[in-house]
């Protein structure tokens, strides 16, 4: 009678763990993976769809030297111009506009941004609020405040190039991107859950499982036939 080799001399056949184990877990537990991914993505989609929509109001301003001042160069716009974007987002300016429009100062402060294009005098005022009309009104109010503030500037002047108009296109949140990300995360969670379930309740399904569990090599396999199913 043949004596089995010592336990320490048995070597598993094929790689243990890693990508093959992961693929086997997904293969045999694909229903669990799909179910978890679907539930996670569906819950995230419902949450994202319930988020309030935000709309942008954009006003364009132009900063230029005063024509009455002869010794002002374009460098003055590059050096002094950024103070106007800082003025727009300053807390004092935000509170004045909020009082004028009967808006919440904290919400308006978080929703307001001003950017000056480098090496130009173009300033974009963007306000993101819950309705297109409110966003446009707030952006135009900031633009008017900036024009009034520039009247005390002896070197530069500001004028409104393009006032903000109500835009019905939703600017935030990016629902489709968030939903796609939720689906991807749900798939990852489902794959990990399938792998843990497969490790927690191991089964001998393939010749690799038999070789890895017993420690003996597999010498041959019978191909699957419908008649032997």
């Amino acid at each position: 009678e043949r004596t089995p080799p010592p336990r320490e001399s048995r070597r598993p056949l094929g790689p243990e763990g890693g990508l093959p184990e992961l693929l086997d877990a997904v293969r045999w537990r694909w229903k669990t993976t799909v179910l978890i991914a679907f539930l996670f993505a569906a819950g995230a989609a419902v949450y994202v769809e319930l988020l309030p929509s935000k709309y942008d109001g954009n006003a364009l301003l132009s900063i230029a030297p005063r024509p009455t001042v002869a010794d002002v160069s374009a460098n003055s716009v590059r050096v002094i111009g950024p103070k106007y974007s800082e003025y727009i987002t300053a807390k004092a300016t935000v509170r004045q506009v909020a009082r004028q429009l009967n808006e919440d100062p904290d919400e308006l402060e978080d929703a307001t941004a001003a950017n000056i294009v480098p090496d130009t005098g173009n300033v974009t005022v963007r306000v993101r609020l819950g309705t297109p009309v409110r966003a446009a009104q707030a952006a135009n109010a900031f633009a008017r405040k900036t024009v009034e503030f520039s009247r005390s500037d002896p070197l530069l002047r500001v004028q409104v190039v393009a006032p903000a108009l109500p835009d019905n296109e939703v600017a935030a949140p990016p629902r489709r991107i968030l939903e796609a990300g939720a689906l991807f995360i749900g798939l990852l969670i489902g794959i990990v859950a399938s792998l843990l379930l497969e490790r927690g309740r191991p089964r001998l399904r393939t010749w690799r499982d038999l070789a890895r569990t017993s420690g003996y090599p597999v010498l041959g396999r019978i191909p699957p036939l419908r008649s032997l199913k």
Side-chain angles (χ1 to χ4, degrees), residues 108-153:
L108 188 60
E109 184 177 4
D110 295 336
T112 304
N115 298 309
I116 183 169
V117 181
D119 298 327
T120 68
N122 297 328
V123 179
T124 302
V125 182
R126 191 211 70 196
V127 182
R128 180 170 292 177
L129 291 175
T131 64
V133 175
R134 289 174 56 203
Q137 289 178 347
N140 290 328
F142 279 108
R144 290 192 298 269
K145 275 290 183 183
T146 309
V147 172
E148 295 175 2
F149 176 70
S150 69
R151 292 171 184 170
S152 60
D153 192 336

Side-chain angles (χ1 to χ4, degrees), residues 2 10 13 16-17 25 41-42 52 82 90 99 105 109 113 117 136 173 189 219:
R2 182 183 176 186
R10 304 180 190 177
L13 182 64
E16 183 175 1
R99 191 180 310 111
E109 184 177 4
V117 181
I189 296 176
L219 301 180

Side-chain angles (χ1 to χ4, degrees), residues 57-138:
N58 297 291
L60 180 61
L61 307 177
S62 176
I63 305 174
R66 290 190 178 277
T68 56
V69 182
D71 57 347
V72 178
S73 63
N75 291 332
S76 300
V77 177
R78 186 172 67 252
V79 175
I80 306 176
K83 79 173 183 179
Y84 285 98
S85 61
E86 297 294 333
Y87 169 79
I88 293 171
T89 57
K91 188 178 292 292
T93 308
V94 172
R95 293 192 177 279
Q96 292 176 9
V97 174
R99 191 180 310 111
Q100 177 184 346
L101 300 178
N102 197 22
E103 294 282 355
D104 183 14
D106 295 331
E107 180 185 2
L108 188 60
E109 184 177 4
D110 295 336
T112 304
N115 298 309
I116 183 169
V117 181
D119 298 327
T120 68
N122 297 328
V123 179
T124 302
V125 182
R126 191 211 70 196
V127 182
R128 180 170 292 177
L129 291 175
T131 64
V133 175
R134 289 174 56 203
Q137 289 178 347

Side-chain angles (χ1 to χ4, degrees), residues 23-47:
L23 294 178
D24 286 341
V26 175
R27 175 187 175 187
W28 297 110
R29 303 272 184 177
W30 66 269
K31 292 183 179 180
T32 303
T33 302
V34 172
L35 179 61
I36 293 176
F38 173 77
L39 293 177
F40 186 87
V46 172
Y47 173 76

